[in-house]
Amino acid sequence: MTKHYTLRYFDIIGLAETSRLLLTAAGVEWTNEVPEWPQEKPNQPFGRLPVLVEKSADGSPDFVLSESQTIERYIARTYGLVPADPKEAAVQEQLRDQIADVVLGFFAFAFLKGEEDKKEKRARFDAILQKLIEVQTKALQKNGNNGYLFGDRVSYADAAALAAYKNLIIGSARYDAALAGIVKAQLTPEIAKHLKTVEADIAAKADKGKIPTSLTVAIDA
């Protein structure tokens, strides 16, 4: 049975970008929905976004899901973007969880006002970012530096990595323009190739305007 999805989230990259990328990579029909906020807050299952609504062919909602990483894993497992083998899947999902730590570290730093607090948080952010880049670079080298973290097509880990760097390089401009340069300066050639490869692969499957924000342009700027 044909499914159609509605993804509810704010008009930013944020916590829904990995799900947007996964839905596009899966080649399924989906639409963005930007609810009026906070008016629609009481109508969401957990009172927050993102929310995924899965609909059957007649348009009736079959399934509603909250929490960003739960939504991601549901899409990835449903459409074979993560391995069926539990151990292989866990290897990919640990990279996704490491990415989440970096993004949370970024936001912890970006919203601080006090200089001493920012200095401490910046040091923590730099440390976990450097570790992420080290781990991802090794994974890409192990996979033959073909532009993907695993195998020869877009995986859950690839989509999560692309979404994270879009937040760190493009999304950061809303809070601290200097952060984009900090992150870009640390990208290895392997990671730059990876991000461009994955973005081009997913963009080829996207409806015009569905995934409008280009990280490749930001990296090359």
Side-chain angles (χ1 to χ4, degrees), residues 67-188:
E67 297 301 310
S68 58
Q69 291 187 49
T70 301
I71 292 170
E72 294 168 13
R73 285 177 165 89
Y74 174 70
I75 298 167
R77 289 167 181 160
T78 300
Y79 293 102
L81 295 167
V82 68
D85 179 82
K87 290 182 179 179
E88 293 179 6
V91 169
Q92 287 204 24
E93 291 181 21
Q94 72 176 351
L95 285 186
R96 197 274 169 267
D97 292 341
Q98 184 195 25
I99 289 165
D101 289 343
V102 174
V103 175
L104 289 173
F106 157 71
F107 283 113
F109 165 68
F111 286 106
L112 288 174
K113 300 298 182 184
E115 288 305 314
E116 285 303 313
D117 286 341
K118 289 196 77 167
K119 184 176 180 181
E120 179 184 350
K121 294 288 186 181
R122 167 67 191 280
R124 293 181 186 177
F125 170 69
D126 284 349
I128 57 177
L129 175 63
Q130 289 168 12
K131 190 62 179 179
L132 173 70
I133 289 174
E134 175 188 333
V135 170
Q136 287 185 335
T137 299
K138 287 180 179 178
L140 290 163
Q141 291 170 344
K142 183 179 179 181
N143 198 43
N145 196 26
N146 66 351
Y148 302 97
L149 285 164
F150 302 94
D152 58 2
R153 66 186 184 98
V154 172
S155 67
Y156 178 27
D158 291 318
L162 177 58
Y165 284 105
K166 288 179 79 170
N167 272 303
L168 293 173
I169 294 175
I170 299 172
S172 66
R174 299 180 64 208
Y175 312 104
D176 188 336
L179 278 176
I182 292 169
V183 177
K184 284 171 60 176
Q186 296 189 56
L187 296 182
T188 62

